[in-house]
Every structure is written in C-alpha cells, then in structure tokens.
Amino acid sequence: MTLRNPPDRWGGISQLLHWLVVALILTTGTLGLVMGDMRNSPTKIELYALHKSLGLTILALATLRLLWRLYAGAPRPVPGPRWQDRLAVLTHGLLYGLLFAIPLSGWTFNSAAGYPLQWFKLFNLPALVSRDADLRELAGNVHELLFWTLVSLALLHAAAALYHHVFQRDDTLARMLPRGWLRPRTPNSSLQD
C-alpha cells in the first residue's frame, strides 16, 4: 500500500487533511461571527484566543496540505469537459490561497493591534508588523472580506461536488470520502487502493 494518492481517488491522508481543515474553518468562522457581537468579558477574550489558535492551526495544516499534495500528487481528473477541469484547478488554487491569506491577515490584524499572539497558551508567536491603527483597520477589513470570499467559494465548491454526484453521476464527491460512504457512480471506478 502506498501513501500517495492513487490515480482514481484521494488517499486517506489527503481526505483527513481536507475534512480536518473544513471542520476547523467551520468552527473558527462560527467563533469569529459570534465573538464580534459579544460584550467585553473573560469569555470573549477566551473565544478570541481560541479563534486565533485555530486560525494558526489552519495555517499550519494548509502548509502541510500543500506539501502533502506536492508529494502525494492528485488523482487524474474525472472525465468531463475541459472547462470544468480548468475551473476546478482554479477553484482549488483560490481555496489554498485563502487558507494562507486569511490566517495571515488575522495575524497581521492582531500584530497591528498590539495584542500578544499565543497558540493554545503553549507558546507566543512574534508580531508580523509593529503597532499601527491604520494597518489594524485595513487588516481587519481584509480578514473579514477574505473570510466571506472563502465562504462563497467553499459553498460553490460543495455545490459543484453535489452537482457532479447527483446530476453528472460521476465520482467527484466519492473520491474525497472514505471508501464505502458513497457507491462509485462510474462503471470503471476502481474499488481497490
């Protein structure tokens, strides 16, 4: 058994990294939306700290995902129109870019605000920039804009996977799920790793 992605689907490590990042984005995004409307309190400070730690974790996992993808490769595209393959490549590139840009914009916002940045209270990270009120405001706005861009793109990505599964009846969605969760849709789908 090889660790690399087989030609017909995403391997277990790629799937694990994908779904772990999805879960962390949902959690971090929800925290970000909730904590902004909270009154100042120790609970709000704890939620901010958790949001920051999870954001840094996403940044680390995005780096790991990219390195893993470079090592393990990608399965061959599902047969279909060339424009769909190109759009999928573009969408994946944008999603990867956002997985880096959003945490880095948050880190910049935090640094420009002059707040300390810790990862789960285990260690401090350095400031990316010096304290600057104008940069803080800009980075905060960019952070929020990038988040909503990610939400839109992720919904489009999920809708495309469902469209492929339901209407095009191909294995696009099944390839990113553990074997057996969805039955392969194409007649020549491999059932083995």
Side-chain angles (χ1 to χ4, degrees):
M1 183 176 96
T2 179
L3 289 177
R4 293 179 187 259
N5 294 315
D8 64 329
R9 63 183 291 109
W10 295 99
I13 294 174
S14 293
Q15 289 178 31
L16 175 66
L17 291 171
H18 176 271
W19 293 110
L20 183 57
V21 168
V22 168
L24 288 173
I25 288 169
L26 290 171
T27 303
T28 307
T30 301
L31 286 173
L33 294 172
V34 168
M35 68 190 191
D37 293 332
M38 292 177 69
R39 63 176 179 76
N40 289 335
S41 67
T43 301
K44 182 175 183 174
I45 292 169
E46 288 297 317
L47 288 182
Y48 264 91
L50 180 59
H51 176 83
K52 294 173 191 181
S53 293
L54 292 175
L56 291 169
T57 303
I58 291 169
L59 181 60
L61 287 173
T63 303
L64 182 60
R65 278 188 73 178
L66 183 58
L67 293 173
W68 181 254
R69 173 108 184 233
L70 292 173
Y71 167 76
R76 64 181 166 264
V78 171
R82 188 169 171 90
W83 68 266
Q84 285 182 356
D85 186 44
R86 287 184 176 172
L87 188 58
V89 168
L90 175 65
T91 302
H92 284 111
L94 290 171
L95 287 168
Y96 270 101
L98 289 166
L99 291 179
F100 286 97
I102 294 171
L104 289 172
S105 65
W107 192 345
T108 301
F109 170 78
N110 191 79
S111 299
Y115 298 128
L117 184 59
Q118 292 184 334
W119 187 72
F120 293 109
K121 299 181 184 177
L122 296 175
F123 57 86
N124 292 332
L125 285 98
L128 293 180
V129 297
S130 58
R131 193 173 191 152
D132 182 321
D134 291 335
L135 181 56
R136 175 187 179 273
E137 184 177 350
L138 175 63
N141 290 336
V142 167
H143 189 64
E144 186 174 348
L145 175 65
L146 292 175
F147 167 73
W148 288 113
T149 302
L150 176 66
V151 168
S152 301
L153 201 55
L155 288 172
L156 180 65
H157 178 67
L162 288 171
Y163 172 81
H164 275 270
H165 184 72
V166 173
F167 297 105
Q168 294 208 253
R169 304 183 60 76
D170 65 29
D171 292 338
T172 299
L173 180 59
R175 293 168 14 134
M176 187 48 88
L177 294 170
R179 287 196 188 278
W181 282 31
L182 289 177
R183 225 180 267 161
R185 306 299 296 254
T186 55
N188 61 354
S189 294
S190 169
L191 295 176
Q192 301 175 3
D193 276 337

